[in-house]
Amino acid sequence: MRIGVLTGGGDCPGLNAVIRAVVRKGVSVYGHEFVGFRDGWRGPLEGDTMPLDIQAVRGILPRGGTILGSSRTNPMKIEGGVDRIKDNLASGGVDALIAIGGEDTLGVARQLSDRGVRVVGVPKTIDNDLAGTDYTFGFDTAVNIAMEAIDRLHTTAESHHRALICEVMGRHAGWIALHAGMAGGANVILIPEKPFDIDKVCEYVESRFRTRYSPIIVVAEGAHPIEGQMAVQTGELDAFGHVRLGGIGEVLAKEIEKRTGKEARTTVLGHIQRGGTPTAFDRVLATRFGLQAIDAVHDGAFGTMVALRGTEIVRVGLDEATAELKTVPVSRYEEAEVFFG
Ligand code: F6P
């Protein structure tokens, strides 16, 4: 078989490990051939390819980013997009596709699968918000980066008796904030799933100062207060209709200073959480996903996504995987709340 591989949406550490595993097993065990599509769905849409053989994947296991490039191109928003993809696959002799991506990329994969394209999905996102899989690779790396930042913020916050706010990624799901905040001993964690009470946040800040420690507040970029949206939004939408966020940390710092009289400063981690080398956990998970994805293609299990359930890799329908986002349940937030203040 000749199999196309693409990586779409926001990149994350571990994408190259998947590509490597797919190609290594696909060539050496099954004797398949591969072609790389550049920049997510733009590749098959425009027929933009690159060679993808064993030589091309040598040495990429620990590398962040993706050798294939990525984009948020949405072929469903482009007139005739599906037909163009089908034509390009046919003219390139591509029998099947492996699409590595999050909810948006896999949502497109599902729609293409419904229209007869033979596709297997691999879940990735630092946000860990894909239904159907216990974890996505990239998440562990992002959490470790954020945790290390929080550790560093603790020491400088205490020297200067400041409240320090750490804004992490997470538009709709607060997994990074929850895990990094718990691991880093944050005094308050604010997530999009639970609108926060600014009075309560300020109480936590003040009680932490009373114990002669300095508060660290971890806030997901999509968190917002009970009384209304405070996040500064650019208003810009990407091809999947997501608003670009950023700014809740700054807004929060101003509000805390105003209400408590204490100095509050913000660090926005931004894309640092997505860059660089993956953790061992993410390399192993990504590698196992890649191995199972090529098995799924070989078995003709199209329209599925590989997923982690406990310690096993299973296949789930792309429809189940993209039906809804996996957000932080109330019970998980309540565990973290025990340590607030
Ligand atoms: O989905 C991954 C993610 O990193 C989100 O956490 C974040 O909100 C978004 O992508 C940022 O996207 P971009 O890099 O396109 O601004």
Side-chain angles (χ1 to χ4, degrees):
M1 280 172 102
R2 188 167 154 80
I3 300 159
V5 183
L6 65 87
T7 52
D11 72 341
C12 78
L15 286 167
N16 286 323
V18 180
I19 299 166
R20 167 181 173 267
V22 162
V23 174
R24 287 283 292 272
K25 186 166 186 182
V27 172
S28 63
V29 177
Y30 296 125
H32 294 319
E33 249 182 53
F34 292 89
V35 58
F37 283 107
R38 289 185 210 271
D39 301 342
W41 291 114
R42 193 189 67 73
L45 195 64
E46 296 177 7
D48 191 358
T49 63
M50 61 179 269
L52 195 60
D53 54 12
I54 292 208
Q55 196 50 39
V57 301
R58 288 258 181 249
I60 66 170
L61 169 66
R63 267 174 60 187
T66 161
I67 59 165
L68 297 176
S70 192
S71 76
R72 294 195 188 275
T73 302
N74 184 353
M76 299 301 160
K77 288 274 167 67
I78 294 166
E79 184 76 25
V82 175
D83 291 333
R84 272 168 64 188
I85 287 179
K86 283 180 149 183
D87 290 348
N88 285 331
L89 294 181
S91 63
V94 178
D95 304 299
L97 268 183
I98 293 181
I100 310 166
E103 45 145 353
D104 296 329
T105 304
L106 296 179
V108 172
R110 177 182 49 75
Q111 295 178 67
L112 289 175
S113 171
D114 291 345
R115 290 165 173 77
V117 176
R118 309 206 299 170
V119 55
V120 165
V122 177
K124 72 84 227 178
T125 165
I126 62 164
D127 301 334
N128 198 38
D129 57 0
L130 260 177
T133 186
D134 290 351
Y135 284 99
T136 49
F137 65 85
F139 173 65
D140 185 65
T141 306
V143 167
N144 274 284
I145 291 167
M147 179 194 72
E148 195 194 324
I150 295 164
D151 287 350
R152 289 171 189 276
L153 290 174
H154 271 296
T155 62
T156 175
E158 276 157 31
S159 307
H160 290 271
H161 317 291
R162 288 171 173 152
L164 289 185
I165 295 154
C166 181
E167 184 184 306
V168 298
M169 280 184 166
R171 271 186 296 228
H172 310 293
W175 290 109
I176 297 178
L178 183 79
H179 280 231
M182 271 185 112
N187 307 116
V188 193
I189 300 168
L190 306 175
I191 61 174
E193 292 87 337
K194 183 159 189 217
F196 61 84
D197 177 346
I198 187 69
D199 293 330
K200 194 81 198 149
V201 172
C202 290
E203 267 174 41
Y204 289 141
V205 165
E206 282 173 330
S207 85
R208 183 43 62 130
F209 275 123
R210 278 197 297 276
T211 62
R212 304 188 67 78
Y213 281 108
S214 292
I216 303 290
I217 298 134
V218 175
V219 58
E221 61 185 337
H224 51 92
I226 289 170
E227 60 261 35
Q229 183 63 268
M230 257 163 66
V232 177
Q233 299 181 348
T234 62
E236 257 177 79
L237 298 183
D238 67 19
F240 287 91
H242 301 299
V243 173
R244 267 199 205 159
L245 293 183
I248 186 64
E250 272 306 323
V251 175
L252 207 52
K254 287 205 182 78
E255 202 65 25
I256 288 171
E257 283 195 345
K258 198 171 80 192
R259 289 169 182 246
T260 67
K262 301 283 187 192
E263 187 181 2
R265 304 279 283 274
T266 298
T267 302
V268 181
L269 294 184
H271 293 87
I272 287 171
Q273 295 157 96
R274 291 219 313 243
T277 188
T279 58
F281 180 90
D282 282 339
R283 293 183 199 190
V284 173
L285 181 59
T287 298
R288 294 183 71 208
F289 276 161
L291 296 173
Q292 296 283 335
I294 192 63
D295 287 349
V297 170
H298 191 77
D299 293 348
F302 299 114
T304 65
M305 176 189 91
V306 294
L308 182 71
R309 292 276 169 86
T311 57
E312 298 301 314
I313 311 286
V314 299
R315 294 172 191 166
V316 299
L318 277 171
D319 41 359
E320 177 191 336
T322 55
E324 56 180 24
L325 274 191
K326 184 182 71 187
T327 51
V328 174
V330 173
S331 60
R332 289 294 310 274
Y333 191 69
E334 283 172 355
E335 289 173 355
E337 265 180 328
V338 171
F339 301 94
F340 288 6

